[in-house]
């Protein structure tokens, strides 16, 4: 990757680290933003990161409720796919 790509990826890594907001909370923010933008690859990435950070299913659902309110009904198919993906993560698949 070129230098600008490396810089961006480094920033992406750093911004999700623990700071004033804990990494767990930041990953849920990333999940909501990805949901509103309707990026399934991004949603799945943040679901994996949320799972690694110890986010509970109840927290995932509440975060996605915010994405639904902000993004509207067009996010529903993405929420359905995200919940299936979350179930697979929980099942260890």
């Amino acid at each position: 990757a070129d230098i600008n790509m490396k810089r961006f990826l480094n920033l992406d890594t750093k911004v999700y680290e623990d700071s004033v907001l804990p990494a767990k909370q930041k990953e849920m923010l990333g999940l909501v933003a990805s949901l509103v933008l309707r990026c399934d690859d991004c949603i799945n990435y943040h679901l994996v990161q949320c799972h690694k950070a110890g986010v509970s299913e109840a927290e995932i659902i509440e975060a996605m409720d915010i994405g639904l309110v902000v993004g509207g009904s067009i996010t529903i198919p993405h929420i359905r796919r995200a919940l299936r993906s979350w179930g697979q993560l929980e099942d260890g698949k």
Side-chain angles (χ1 to χ4, degrees), residues 1-90:
D2 75 4
I3 190 74
N4 290 322
M5 179 68 77
K6 287 180 183 177
R7 286 178 177 160
F8 180 82
L9 293 174
N10 186 51
L11 175 62
D12 183 63
T13 299
K14 292 286 184 195
V15 79
Y16 286 98
E17 291 177 354
D18 280 322
S19 186
V20 175
L21 296 176
K24 176 180 171 178
Q25 193 172 27
K26 290 178 177 184
E27 286 301 338
M28 288 188 288
L29 290 169
L31 174 63
V32 171
S34 297
L35 179 59
V36 171
L37 292 170
R38 301 187 313 271
C39 175
D40 284 332
D41 287 343
C42 304
I43 292 166
N44 285 328
Y45 172 80
H46 287 291
L47 284 173
V48 169
Q49 296 307 112
C50 283
H51 192 263
K52 288 179 183 176
V55 176
S56 70
E57 184 171 331
E59 289 170 315
I60 289 293
I61 291 169
E62 220 169 274
M64 287 197 293
D65 284 347
I66 293 168
L68 173 61
V69 168
V70 173
S73 62
I74 198 168
T75 63
I76 291 172
H78 299 276
I79 292 170
R80 288 183 180 138
R81 287 190 290 272
L83 290 174
R84 278 195 301 270
S85 294
W86 182 259
Q88 291 172 347
L89 286 169
E90 291 287 277

